[in-house]
Amino acid sequence: MAMLVDRLDHVLGVAAATPLADTFGIHTVEDLLRHYPHRYMTHGSELGESEPPEGEHITIVATVESATLRSMKNRNGQFLAVTLAADGQRIEATFFSPHKLKHVVVPGRRGMFSGKVKYFGKRWNLTHPSYVILGGDDNDGAVVPAGRIVGGGTLAGLARGAVDASGAVDMSVFDRAFVPIYAATKDVESWTFMRCVRQVLDQLDDVTDPLPESVRRERGLVDIDTALRSVHFPDTAQDKDSARERLKFDEALAVQLVLADRRRDASTRVAARCPPITDGIAVEFDRRLPFELTAGQHDVAAEIANDLSAPHPMSRLLQGEVGSGKTIVALRAMLQVIDAGHQCALLAPTEVLASQHARSIRSMLGSLAAGGELGSHELATKVALLTGSMSTAAKRSALLDAVTGDAGIVIGTHALIEDRVEFLDLAMVVVDEQHRFGVEQRDALRAKARGNTSPHLLVMTATPIPRTIAMSTLGDLETSVLRELPRGRSPIISNVVPARAKPAWVDRVWQRIREEVAAGRQAYVVCSRIGDGDDAETGKKTASKSDDGPETTAAVDMYDTLAAGPMHDLRVGLLHGRLSGDDKDITMSEFNSGEIDVLVCTTVVEVGVDVPNATVMVIMDADRFGVSQLHQLRGRIGRGGHQGLCIMISYLSPMGGSFARLEAVAATNDGFELAKLDLATRREGDVLGAAQSGTVSGLRLLSFIDDEDTIADAQDCARTLFARDPSLANDPGIASMMRSAWRSDRVDYLQKS
């Protein structure tokens, strides 16, 4: 018999287990059983894919419509050109062993075909796929990997869990009401998973359920043993649905247990109480403000002020539309902490953004940021900046201001997390663009607080997060939302330019920029990469060609083109991640002051950069950016009193899905609506990212689009379980679920698309 923790090589044998481990990282019985079918074939039905991504290994069930021997064009020999019919569409398949296969793959026969997708125009093809022919006598079915026939003869063993020497498949499994289809590769096909899972299930001991019976009974959930068996080989639709419902709940609960534990841990910590006072720097700052805060800013500020007054650390997420005024809300909160005699740290993801924050905060504070200087206001503090590329002398000065307490606000990048950075009395941490930082990075900065206290935490994002994502990744934080834009902001007009179909429109784009510059305004031109195939932010080599388009535009090339061509008489600047910190700062300062008319850049300007005079944003190869990223970039313009114009240029076909996504972005400025679009148009795994510290090692069934009720129910359940038993000492199964979800080596909550 077998248990979930048993090694697969002991259960299946080394020959069967090795490909599973090498290709999918499947090492144990539980690993295999958690590789769930991603869909099912019902008896007698066809099963196809509408628009599978190129290069993906897929499995379809189809009927052979035609099979024709053809001669090769460039060399001797023939191939078998096959047309498959599945779900109302035609798929071409090509086989290069025609004489061995022409008597098996014949018109009218139905089979399971598995191979890599390749597009020719708008039609896709499977080249020399592996297959199993369904129906007929035992000799009709064969597993045929590319280049050789393995099967043939009697196909036996799958139903009994045995494997014959040829690796052949028992065709009786295909007579089931629901046949599982698994994510597979050429080395481990879907039918290989069927065989291995069947063999494991036949040996599996009853699985002990980690969920208390009361929790299962309240929700009508089947036990875990039934779920793990039925999800692979259900007898009825009800069996399949009940199994998936139970396994989805387990995934959601595992995540929520980790987050509930973090909330419980925060509630037991001690923080410095920072109640507002009537005669401090915060009130003086408010008195000097040249504009009125929005009602939303007042409401959120009150929530934060109340949190800061408590003896336990604040843990709050501040979501806000691009340009909704999150920074000023965060600054007012930091001033409240300074009034209480403590320090604050602001962590930004890039040097450009950190420097921008330092400039804007110093500008907003005016003389209140000149602490220690001759003639400064009596309530003034210092604002220090610390980044990795600063000179040694500048770093030394910033470190001294932090450790002596002279700087009430210390702004920086990851450099703030380094061991050598010390604070006199850190009581608040503000994290901007929280999706760029993980739990461990946040906690490393929080650990710099004095003694046994924990600093208050405020994390900000201008990328609105759908409720399901927030519950599943940020459920340890209370949430505040800013939807209202400050007065005087003009809505941004957005257009999509099909550059290949309408090249004259691109010329008009450059002319439009010249018109704005002539009117005294400025423009951005954003590119997806720096140059030489380098990624825009990391500088690592990336593919420079779109899937069906020409080479993408590099920032260095665009700079040369514009400076020598359409913008030859304008002041054109260049900004990207490979420049030194000083060069970046000089360029942004020149753009801020109006000395640069057109800034050619990469996504280093994506967040936080505030140049009110910039009115045009041109995004080259816009299809290369995610929905949220496009919205972030667009938010860099229209921040003054002039109309903003965003132009997204794409070389893809206007008839394709990517172009339609750009048009959807252009149709609305509502970031919360775009967040839903982002979730609907991307794979959900990409939304969460490859690494999500403190949440889950892998979501396999849970859908953030369809399973909001399940996620909310799991959140309530987790909080109830912790309220009843904070240590989970009486619920060892629940504790094990939480431990299985925690992966301390994963450091990102959300990874940008």
Side-chain angles (χ1 to χ4, degrees):
M1 301 302 288
M3 300 177 65
L4 292 180
V5 296
D6 287 350
R7 286 171 43 177
L8 272 182
D9 55 355
H10 293 169
V11 179
L12 297 176
V14 174
T18 298
L20 294 170
D22 292 346
T23 307
F24 288 93
I26 292 174
H27 300 280
T28 67
V29 167
E30 182 169 16
D31 290 342
L32 177 62
L33 296 183
R34 297 290 187 183
H35 186 86
Y36 307 127
H38 66 90
R39 53 189 182 147
Y40 300 84
M41 176 186 74
T42 56
H43 184 58
S45 69
E46 294 174 346
L47 188 66
E49 294 270 6
S50 56
E51 293 183 7
E54 182 159 12
E56 183 168 297
H57 191 97
I58 67 166
T59 303
I60 64 171
V61 177
T63 300
V64 179
E65 194 170 77
S66 66
T68 307
L69 279 174
R70 294 180 182 170
S71 297
M72 295 188 182
K73 291 182 179 180
N74 300 321
R75 57 189 175 95
N76 294 330
Q78 293 180 308
F79 65 93
L80 190 66
V82 177
T83 299
L84 303 172
D87 289 343
Q89 63 177 324
R90 301 291 181 271
I91 300 108
E92 304 301 324
T94 304
F95 295 89
F96 297 119
S97 301
H99 298 292
K100 296 179 180 178
L101 306 178
K102 65 182 180 181
H103 301 299
V104 179
V105 182
V106 296
R109 285 195 169 174
R110 185 164 161 269
M112 184 180 292
F113 300 85
S114 184
K116 186 174 289 188
V117 174
K118 185 172 181 61
Y119 275 86
F120 296 94
K122 290 190 175 182
R123 299 189 67 175
W124 54 278
N125 176 290
L126 296 177
T127 300
H128 208 49
S130 303
Y131 73 90
V132 173
I133 295 297
L134 309 178
D137 59 38
D138 279 350
N139 291 324
D140 283 341
V143 181
V144 186
R148 62 193 183 95
I149 298 178
V150 174
T154 301
L155 298 172
L158 180 58
R160 299 190 305 276
V163 183
D164 69 19
S166 70
V169 178
D170 176 10
M171 302 310 296
S172 66
V173 71
F174 297 104
D175 293 327
R176 299 182 61 89
F178 294 90
V179 178
I181 306 294
Y182 297 87
T185 69
K186 66 181 180 65
D187 297 317
V188 187
E189 296 287 9
S190 182
W191 44 82
T192 304
F193 274 110
M194 278 192 278
R195 185 182 71 233
C196 293
V197 169
R198 181 72 272 166
Q199 185 172 347
V200 163
L201 288 178
D202 285 346
Q203 301 178 63
L204 185 66
D205 286 330
D206 289 343
V207 180
T208 302
D209 204 313
L211 274 187
E213 184 180 354
S214 59
V215 173
R216 300 201 309 271
R217 185 171 59 250
E218 182 180 348
R219 291 162 177 81
L221 299 173
V222 299
D223 63 83
I224 191 63
D225 186 79
T226 299
L228 286 174
R229 296 174 190 274
S230 296
V231 76
H232 293 283
F233 296 107
D235 291 321
T236 66
Q238 179 61 44
D239 290 344
K240 171 177 66 71
D241 293 343
S242 295
R244 291 172 68 87
E245 182 182 356
R246 165 59 200 270
L247 296 170
K248 282 182 182 180
F249 181 80
D250 281 8
E251 289 181 3
L253 182 60
V255 173
Q256 296 303 326
L257 287 168
V258 172
L259 295 172
D261 185 47
R262 290 184 63 84
R263 289 173 67 95
R264 179 197 61 79
D265 180 62
S267 69
T268 63
R269 297 183 182 184
V270 176
R273 298 186 62 173
C274 304
I277 61 176
T278 58
D279 57 352
I281 189 173
V283 170
E284 178 62 21
F285 173 71
D286 285 347
R287 188 185 65 78
R288 297 183 178 196
L289 275 179
F291 53 84
E292 179 66 29
L293 296 180
T294 66
Q297 286 174 317
H298 279 296
D299 291 343
V300 171
E303 291 174 345
I304 295 173
N306 186 61
D307 286 351
L308 293 175
S309 303
H312 303 294
M314 171 179 72
S315 293
R316 185 167 290 276
L317 166 68
L318 176 55
Q319 289 193 72
E321 274 288 10
V322 175
S324 60
K326 297 179 298 299
T327 302
I328 197 169
V329 170
L331 175 56
R332 294 174 84 249
M334 288 190 282
L335 295 179
Q336 182 175 328
V337 171
I338 292 170
D339 276 334
H342 308 290
Q343 290 173 285
C344 306
L346 194 163
L347 183 62
T350 66
E351 292 192 353
V352 169
L353 183 52
S355 299
Q356 172 73 30
H357 274 311
R359 281 193 299 269
S360 62
I361 286 176
R362 286 167 181 157
S363 176
M364 285 189 284
L365 287 175
S367 63
L368 294 177
E373 297 180 17
L374 188 63
S376 65
H377 193 281
E378 61 180 348
L379 296 172
T381 187
K382 266 190 178 182
V383 178
L385 173 65
L386 182 62
T387 65
S389 65
M390 289 170 55
S391 68
T392 301
K395 285 181 183 176
R396 187 180 297 116
S397 176
L399 291 170
L400 185 61
D401 286 338
V403 74
T404 60
D406 289 343
I409 299 174
V410 182
I411 302 169
T413 56
H414 296 75
L416 288 182
I417 303 173
E418 295 176 4
D419 291 340
R420 64 197 181 104
V421 180
E422 296 181 11
F423 294 83
L424 178 67
D425 189 6
L426 180 64
M428 182 178 183
V429 173
V430 179
V431 179
D432 196 14
E433 292 307 312
Q434 59 80 28
H435 56 271
R436 304 288 190 92
F437 298 99
V439 175
E440 291 180 351
Q441 291 165 303
R442 286 180 358 197
D443 287 350
L445 187 52
R446 292 167 80 175
K448 294 180 181 294
R450 187 171 62 180
N452 294 322
T453 64
S454 294
H456 300 282
L457 174 67
L458 178 67
V459 295
M460 303 190 296
T461 179
T463 305
I465 303 171
R467 179 170 180 260
T468 48
I469 296 289
M471 283 192 295
S472 299
T473 59
L474 302 167
D476 58 328
L477 305 175
E478 300 295 337
T479 301
S480 296
V481 178
L482 285 174
R483 288 181 176 268
E484 185 182 0
L485 294 180
R487 294 179 183 85
R489 289 285 173 88
S490 299
I492 299 168
I493 297 173
S494 300
N495 292 301
V496 186
V497 172
R500 188 187 298 176
K502 304 284 186 180
W505 290 14
V506 179
D507 296 334
R508 173 60 185 141
V509 169
W510 309 136
Q511 183 183 346
R512 187 71 184 84
I513 287 179
R514 293 185 62 85
E515 292 168 2
E516 286 294 304
V517 173
R521 262 87 74 182
Q522 296 163 274
Y524 297 95
V525 178
V526 180
C527 301
S528 62
R529 61 189 181 93
I530 299 171
D532 302 322
D534 288 351
D535 178 82
E537 292 186 75
T538 65
K540 294 180 180 178
K541 294 289 183 181
T542 62
S544 61
K545 288 183 178 291
S546 298
D547 292 338
D548 60 346
E551 190 170 280
T552 54
T553 307
V556 292
D557 296 335
M558 178 55 68
Y559 171 77
D560 292 339
T561 299
L562 294 181
M567 314 292 173
H568 66 92
D569 55 342
L570 302 183
R571 298 168 297 180
V572 183
L574 177 64
L575 181 68
H576 57 70
R578 280 211 308 254
L579 296 175
S580 68
D582 287 343
D583 286 342
K584 286 186 224 175
D585 202 43
I586 290 170
T587 301
M588 275 310 304
S589 295
E590 290 176 345
F591 192 57
N592 266 303
S593 64
E595 298 173 57
I596 291 175
D597 298 316
V598 180
L599 182 64
V600 179
C601 55
T602 58
T603 53
V604 292
V605 299
E606 180 187 335
V607 291
V609 174
D610 187 4
V611 181
N613 194 46
T615 55
V616 181
M617 167 73 68
V618 176
I619 305 174
M620 302 301 299
D621 305 300
D623 48 275
R624 283 302 183 95
F625 299 91
V627 170
S628 295
Q629 201 170 20
L630 291 169
H631 186 55
Q632 282 280 355
L633 288 167
R634 179 171 57 183
R636 298 308 103 212
I637 58 173
R639 303 174 77 87
H642 304 291
Q643 179 74 61
L645 173 63
C646 177
I647 302 171
M648 293 173 274
I649 297 178
S650 173
Y651 287 88
L652 298 186
S653 168
M655 305 303 293
S658 294
F659 201 89
R661 177 173 58 88
L662 297 179
E663 291 181 317
V665 174
T668 180
N669 287 313
D670 188 334
F672 290 88
E673 286 301 313
L674 289 174
K676 295 177 184 176
L677 171 67
D678 202 15
L679 183 57
T681 57
R682 283 193 287 156
R683 296 184 178 187
E684 293 182 344
D686 294 335
V687 175
L688 277 178
Q692 348 163 22
S693 178
T695 55
V696 66
S697 58
L699 299 181
R700 299 170 176 88
L701 295 178
L702 196 68
S703 166
F704 293 107
I705 298 173
D706 302 324
D707 297 323
E708 180 172 342
D709 291 344
T710 298
I711 294 168
D713 184 25
Q715 186 179 72
D716 291 340
C717 180
R719 293 181 180 183
T720 299
L721 289 168
F722 269 102
R724 185 180 69 194
D725 182 11
S727 67
L728 298 181
N730 298 318
D731 286 308
I734 293 295
S736 70
M737 289 181 73
M738 185 177 72
R739 286 193 299 271
S740 70
W742 176 258
R743 291 284 300 274
S744 61
D745 60 316
R746 301 193 167 203
V747 296
D748 291 329
Y749 259 117
L750 292 171
Q751 183 173 326
K752 197 171 259 325
S753 69

